[in-house]
């Protein structure tokens, strides 16, 4: 039965529609009794299949529940998913059954359906109006219930396929079994929505059979999902083809006075069993954690075995193991990223670490200077008058702080930098003549630097200077020539010179210093 149109019909369309209704009525009178009986036979067979699925599913749920009772630690997660599958499958199955009963009511009437139900008999298996071609389309298409069914089936299909994400074949089977793609409409001779393809112009007997097949698909999909979830648990089995003993230490390097800790495990063993662990003939704790005080320096070796129950024979068997660890003296690595000495009033950068200890477990204390950590680097700044600084390092081992060592550094004042005239990438200090374009470069600056071979690269700030240009002294309050100075410099000729003098600079220690003049000769 076609859907309603959204626009008014012309007289010609009304005539065509009337002829279609008459033709439909004539076809309804001529639906073969043998064909309808064939649908009834298929429907009865599907009901038998559903009953078998119900029996099989009930056993699967009982077995699953028993396995969960015996070993909830292993099966609880999967059993909970199985219970959810059962709830969703029952909901969809019952919705389809309700869908079938509504069609039966339209075909035979409410009283007839109620009479069958009062006897405990499925009324959809005894519909007298099986040849009716109208009521299925009326309920499914005109009233919109077919679209609702499609959405519910698609929701269950996507849930079931997502649950079987680790089994590509099962996932594909579910998607194909519960497909709701567009179909073919024989009346319209064109593709159409799923609900139209399934229910349009369909006799009641055929529609009921199709819906029963959907119920059978729901139950068979439920069976496959429950079996899949049970297989995922491996409940009651230790499926391994090789067993190995492993020793996993927290660290193979131990500081004297600390503790060596290692985890001894039986690989691929059932986590619910309790193997016995032995080291040097002595049984240790049931967790397989071996802990011993690190008394002496050097390489330490030990061996033992794991006693476990063979799941096939039930007999106890032993798996041997051996391992080793090293014990060393407390040590610390301290390096100055900038110099071999420390400078007063300057942020000296240090990398400080303890072998085998995380940085957040290392503590640094300094005598005679302030200290702070910045992005994994320790910043140490000696104060005025400080002549030496002592750095002490400790580390957290086994829950307590342990001294790791210390080192003393001499403290000096920052060396005085030289003054340079920088134009582009070139620096001039009077040793060579300067091109006219470099001298008049508006972006050129006066800088304080330790030169290209210097060990330090510090952020000195030029606060001002004076320029002697042909005997005229002109002041600059920054690190660049002023406009007046550039105008006078523009009048210089090759061989003329300019002297940058009275250069004031402030270093990272905050103190202002005077730098040597820069004589520049124009070439």
């Amino acid at each position: 039965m076609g859907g309603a149109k959204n626009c008014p019909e012309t007289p010609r369309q009304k005539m065509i529609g009337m002829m279609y209704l008459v033709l439909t009525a004539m076809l309804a009178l001529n639906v073969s009794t043998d064909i309808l009986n064939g649908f009834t036979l298929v429907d009865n067979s599907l009901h038998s299949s559903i009953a078998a699925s119900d029996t099989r599913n009930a056993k699967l749920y009982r077995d699953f529940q028993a396995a969960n009772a015996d070993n909830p630690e292993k099966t609880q997660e999967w059993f909970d998913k199985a219970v959810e599958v059962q709830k969703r499958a029952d909901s969809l199955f019952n919705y389809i059954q309700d869908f079938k009963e509504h069609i039966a009511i339209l075909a035979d009437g409410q009283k007839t359906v109620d009479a069958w139900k009062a006897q405990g008999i499925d009324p959809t298996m005894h519909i007298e109006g099986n040849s009716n071609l109208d009521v299925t389309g009326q309920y499914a298409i005109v009233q919109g219930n077919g679209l609702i069914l499609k959405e519910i089936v698609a929701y269950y299909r996507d849930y079931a396929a997502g649950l079987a994400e680790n089994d590509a074949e099962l996932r594909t089977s579910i998607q194909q079994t519960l497909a709701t793609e567009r179909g073919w409409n024989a009346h319209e001779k064109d593709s159409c929505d799923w609900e139209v393809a399934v229910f349009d112009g369909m006799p009641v007997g055929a529609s009921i059979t199709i819906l029963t097949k959907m119920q059978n698909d729901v139950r068979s999909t439920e069976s496959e999902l429950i079996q899949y979830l049970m297989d995922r648990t491996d409940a009651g089995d230790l499926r391994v083809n090789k067993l190995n003993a492993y020793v996993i230490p927290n660290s193979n390097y131990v500081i004297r006075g600390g503790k060596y800790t290692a985890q001894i495990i039986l690989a691929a063993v059932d986590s619910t069993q309790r193997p016995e662990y032995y080291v040097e003939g002595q049984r240790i704790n049931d967790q397989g954690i071996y802990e011993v005080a690190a008394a002496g320096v050097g390489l330490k070796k030990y061996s033992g075995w794991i006693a476990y129950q063979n799941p096939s024979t039930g007999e106890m068997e032993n798996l041997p193991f051996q391992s080793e660890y090293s014990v060393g003296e407390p040590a610390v690595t301290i390096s100055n990223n900038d110099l071999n000495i420390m400078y007063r009033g300057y942020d000296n950068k240090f990398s400080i670490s303890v072998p085998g200890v995380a940085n957040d477990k290392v503590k640094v204390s300094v005598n005679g200077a302030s200290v702070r950590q910045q992005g994994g680097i320790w910043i140490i700044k000696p104060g005025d008058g400080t002549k030496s600084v002592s750095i002490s390092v400790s580390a957290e081992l086994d829950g307590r702080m342990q001294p790791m060592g210390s080192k003393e550094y001499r403290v000096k004042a920052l060396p005085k930098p030289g003054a340079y005239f920088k134009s582009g990438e070139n620096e001039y200090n009077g040793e060579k003549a300067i091109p006219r374009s470099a001298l008049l470069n508006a972006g050129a600056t006066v800088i304080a630097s330790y030169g290209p071979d210097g060990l330090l690269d510090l952020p000195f700030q030029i606060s001002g200077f004076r320029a002697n240009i042909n005997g005229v002294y002109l002041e600059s309050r920054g690190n660049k020539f002023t406009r007046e100075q550039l105008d006078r410099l523009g009048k210089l000729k090759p061989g003329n010179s300019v002297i940058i003098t009275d250069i004031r600079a402030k270093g990272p220690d905050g103190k202002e210093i005077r730098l040597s003049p820069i004589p520049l000769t124009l070439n």
Side-chain angles (χ1 to χ4, degrees):
M1 182 173 181
K5 304 297 182 181
N6 293 322
C7 57
E9 293 182 323
T10 65
R12 180 175 179 274
Q13 289 174 324
K14 290 182 179 180
M15 181 182 68
I16 293 174
M18 185 64 69
M19 293 174 63
Y20 175 74
L21 290 175
V22 172
L23 177 61
T24 301
M26 294 175 64
L27 289 173
L29 295 174
N30 293 306
V31 174
S32 171
T33 301
D34 291 337
I35 294 176
L36 292 175
N37 289 338
F39 280 124
T40 300
L41 289 174
V42 173
D43 188 68
N44 291 338
S45 176
L46 289 171
H47 277 282
S48 298
S49 179
I50 291 173
S53 294
D54 287 339
T55 301
R56 180 171 62 254
N57 292 350
K59 183 179 185 304
L60 285 173
Y61 284 120
R62 286 196 303 270
D63 293 345
F64 214 151
Q65 188 172 18
N68 186 60
D70 292 339
N71 196 349
E73 181 180 351
K74 177 178 290 187
T75 63
Q76 187 67 57
E77 175 188 358
W78 307 105
F79 179 70
D80 290 343
K81 292 181 178 181
V83 172
E84 180 66 19
V85 168
Q86 183 184 38
K87 181 172 68 174
R88 296 193 184 211
D90 287 346
S91 177
L92 177 55
F93 185 93
N94 293 334
Y95 182 86
I96 298 174
Q97 182 64 26
D98 185 70
F99 196 101
K100 291 162 62 178
E101 290 183 7
H102 275 86
I103 294 176
I105 291 171
L106 291 175
D108 289 354
Q110 183 72 56
K111 290 183 179 181
T112 301
V113 170
D114 290 343
W116 284 114
K117 294 179 70 174
Q119 302 176 56
I121 298 175
D122 184 354
T124 67
M125 298 180 67
H126 303 277
I127 298 176
E128 296 179 3
N130 270 339
S131 62
N132 192 310
L133 295 171
D134 294 330
V135 297
T136 300
Q138 177 185 343
Y139 182 74
I141 302 174
V142 177
Q143 296 181 17
N145 293 294
L147 176 59
I148 297 175
L149 175 61
K150 170 187 174 181
E151 293 174 347
I152 294 176
V153 171
Y155 182 78
Y156 177 77
R157 177 198 64 220
D158 294 342
Y159 163 77
L163 201 60
E165 60 180 353
N166 293 316
D167 189 329
E169 292 184 1
L170 176 57
R171 187 171 64 252
T172 301
S173 174
I174 292 172
Q175 291 169 339
Q176 293 175 347
T177 301
L178 301 173
T180 57
E181 287 83 4
R182 291 176 62 84
W184 178 260
N185 188 312
H187 294 162
E188 302 292 339
K189 303 295 184 181
D190 196 2
S191 64
C192 59
D193 292 333
W194 174 84
E195 62 273 18
V196 175
V198 173
F199 298 113
D200 187 23
M202 192 69 64
V204 168
S207 298
I208 294 298
T209 303
I210 291 173
L211 290 167
T212 303
K213 178 190 176 297
M214 290 183 191
Q215 290 179 304
N216 183 62
D217 291 340
V218 170
R219 288 306 186 209
S220 62
T221 298
E222 180 184 5
S223 297
E224 292 177 325
L225 281 175
I226 301 308
Q227 187 62 60
Y228 167 77
L229 293 173
M230 289 189 69
D231 292 342
R232 294 284 289 169
T233 65
D234 288 335
D237 294 326
L238 181 62
R239 298 191 179 107
V240 296
N241 56 16
K242 183 179 181 181
L243 296 176
N244 290 316
Y246 290 98
V247 178
I248 306 176
N250 288 353
S251 175
N252 285 323
Y253 186 83
V254 182
I255 301 299
R256 180 171 53 82
K259 290 182 179 180
Y260 171 79
T261 303
Q263 175 75 50
I264 302 173
I265 64 171
L266 178 64
V269 70
D270 188 342
S271 62
T272 60
Q273 292 192 30
R274 301 298 179 192
E276 297 175 359
Y277 303 90
Y278 295 85
V279 176
E280 303 298 338
Q282 298 295 320
R283 183 175 177 180
I284 61 174
N285 54 72
D286 291 339
Q287 289 74 39
I289 297 177
Y290 175 50
E291 187 174 88
V292 62
V297 176
L299 183 66
K300 308 295 179 182
K301 297 183 178 182
Y302 63 96
S303 61
W305 67 88
I306 302 174
Y308 74 100
Q309 186 178 38
N310 188 307
S312 300
T313 64
E315 300 293 331
M316 294 298 294
E317 297 184 6
N318 295 336
L319 280 176
F321 64 84
Q322 61 182 7
S323 188
E324 62 186 35
Y325 62 95
S326 299
V327 179
E329 290 286 354
V332 62
T333 300
I334 303 176
S335 62
N336 188 326
N337 285 6
D338 293 329
L339 301 168
N340 293 326
I341 60 175
M342 297 176 66
Y343 288 104
R344 191 178 297 113
Y346 170 62
D347 287 345
N348 298 270
K349 301 177 182 65
F350 283 81
S351 293
I352 301 176
S353 62
V354 178
V357 179
N359 288 338
D360 61 344
K361 302 295 183 182
V362 176
K363 181 180 179 181
V364 175
S365 59
V366 179
N367 180 26
S370 63
V371 60
R372 72 180 190 276
Q373 195 172 17
Q374 179 178 311
I377 299 296
W378 294 89
I379 307 299
I380 300 177
K381 188 174 184 177
D384 291 339
T386 303
K387 295 183 178 180
S388 65
V389 167
S390 178
I391 303 176
S392 299
V393 179
S394 56
E396 183 179 335
L397 300 173
D398 300 322
R400 62 186 180 89
M401 297 303 297
Q402 180 173 330
M404 304 305 296
S406 63
K407 189 171 184 179
E408 188 169 325
Y409 282 80
R410 292 176 298 139
V411 178
K412 291 186 176 183
L414 283 170
K416 188 176 181 179
Y420 294 83
F421 180 76
K422 185 174 183 179
S423 181
E425 298 298 323
N426 298 314
E427 297 180 3
Y428 302 89
N429 62 356
E431 295 181 355
K432 60 180 180 180
I434 183 171
R436 182 183 187 85
S437 58
L439 182 64
L440 299 177
N441 182 4
T445 59
V446 177
I447 64 170
S449 169
Y450 292 105
D453 298 325
L455 298 177
L456 292 175
D457 184 12
L458 303 183
F460 282 90
Q461 181 180 357
I462 303 297
S463 56
F465 62 87
R466 297 175 69 194
N468 181 354
I469 307 173
N470 284 337
V472 177
Y473 287 88
L474 297 175
E475 181 75 22
S476 174
R477 294 188 177 277
N479 62 350
K480 294 183 177 181
F481 286 129
T482 65
R483 172 49 58 188
E484 184 182 2
Q485 290 171 333
L486 287 173
D487 289 342
R488 287 189 172 271
L489 290 172
K491 299 176 181 179
L492 295 178
K493 298 179 180 180
N496 291 159
S497 63
V498 56
I499 301 175
I500 301 175
T501 184
D502 196 18
I503 304 170
R504 287 96 62 194
K506 184 177 293 186
D509 57 2
K511 296 181 178 180
E512 186 173 86
I513 57 176
R514 301 276 177 155
L515 303 180
S516 301
I518 308 173
L520 300 176
T521 301
L522 191 64
N523 63 12

